[in-house]
Amino acid sequence: MFRIVFVLDLYNMHVVHAQGGNRKKYRPVHLTSRICSTSEPLRLLEETKPKEVYIADLNILQGEGCRNTNFATIEQISSRVDTMLDPGISSLEEAMEATLLADTVIIGTETASLKTIKEIAAALPGKVNVSIDKKHGKVLTSDPLMPQEPADVVQALNGLDIRNIIILDMDRVGTSRGVDSQFLSNIVSISHHHVLLGGGVKDIHDVEVLESIGIKGALVATALHNGSIPLHMAQQ
């Protein structure tokens, strides 16, 4: 069954609306949402009742405030719903810390080197997802040894004991621009892991296209909040 994973972008313990990867301009999600009247995470969960959520800890990803600003909130969320967490992991120690907060840990190319990804996958077999963060067509990374082409990273991950890979298209986040089916079909064809997509999913048609090419799920926020994808598709 195709997974619709409800995205919660956390900033200062509240959920914000991610749009175009420009984190400085993110606003409280309830200001534009049709499905919730609050940006307070636990109340939002009560109103929307998602089956599983993906949390991006924007305080860490932006390097703002204390590292643990959102940790108590994340623990409360994960005690109520199946949770995968991206807390900007750059080391094995940070990955171990994150396993105490959520069910599944996300390691992103934006913050972790390829060497670190391999180290964490070996230390936490089957407990992590790897996010290939893509911007302007190339892999978003500060690691000089990380391949620039997403397909090359996929191949580098094929031998690792990880749950899923996530293609996170930063240029399409919150834009409802649709999906690049040709690119994603190629990714599916070379990956030994299930592939999830984040960014650009605009409606049910996109979901049908993704399912038809073998994508196993989508990380969705905007299309749920504006009603283009019915909320029941993400619910328990």
Side-chain angles (χ1 to χ4, degrees), residues 36-231:
C36 64
S37 62
T38 177
S39 294
E40 195 282 311
L42 299 184
R43 288 176 54 204
L44 189 152
L45 289 181
E46 291 173 0
E47 292 183 1
T48 57
K49 297 178 174 60
K51 183 177 182 179
E52 56 180 322
V53 299
Y54 168 104
I55 296 176
D57 189 327
L58 297 188
N59 285 83
I60 295 177
L61 291 169
Q62 294 177 174
E64 295 185 14
C66 297
R67 178 172 177 80
N68 64 355
T69 295
N70 295 311
F71 282 9
T73 301
I74 292 166
E75 283 187 290
Q76 291 175 318
I77 293 170
S78 64
S79 71
R80 290 163 170 78
V81 62
D82 189 13
T83 301
M84 57 177 81
L85 170 65
D86 180 359
I89 289 169
S90 59
S91 69
L92 175 58
E93 291 74 20
E94 291 173 357
M96 298 297 289
E97 176 185 61
T99 62
L100 302 176
L101 301 175
D103 303 285
T104 307
V105 176
I106 307 296
I107 316 168
T109 61
E110 180 182 4
T111 56
S113 68
L114 186 58
K115 179 181 178 181
T116 298
I117 290 172
K118 292 179 178 179
E119 180 185 16
I120 295 171
L124 298 169
K127 296 183 179 180
V128 301
N129 292 339
V130 175
S131 178
I132 301 175
D133 304 323
K134 173 173 166 280
K135 196 169 182 66
H136 305 315
K138 302 296 182 181
V139 176
L140 183 61
T141 181
S142 59
D143 177 12
L145 300 181
M146 183 81 71
Q148 290 295 297
E149 297 298 329
D152 293 337
V153 179
V154 171
Q155 290 180 327
L157 299 176
N158 275 339
L160 303 184
D161 187 359
I162 58 178
R163 285 195 183 185
N164 309 285
I165 65 169
I166 298 169
I167 300 296
L168 186 60
D169 193 332
M170 298 295 291
D171 295 317
R172 295 175 186 254
V173 167
T175 65
S176 299
R177 284 171 50 191
V179 300
D180 185 342
S181 58
Q182 184 174 356
F183 164 76
L184 293 169
S185 181
N186 180 58
I187 293 295
V188 169
S189 72
I190 63 177
S191 178
H192 294 178
H193 302 100
H194 286 175
V195 180
L196 310 178
L197 172 67
V201 182
K202 65 179 180 179
D203 54 25
I204 294 177
H205 173 70
D206 275 356
V207 171
E208 293 171 347
V209 169
L210 292 173
E211 192 168 14
S212 73
I213 63 176
I215 297 290
K216 297 301 182 181
L219 313 180
V220 182
T222 300
L224 289 168
H225 285 290
N226 68 23
S228 296
I229 293 177
L231 180 59

Side-chain angles (χ1 to χ4, degrees), residues 11-31:
Y11 181 66
N12 290 337
M13 298 174 289
H14 285 76
V15 182
V16 296
H17 180 208
Q19 193 165 23
N22 186 355
R23 296 179 180 134
K24 297 293 185 181
K25 295 185 178 180
Y26 291 177
R27 302 294 305 280
V29 71
H30 76 277
L31 297 178

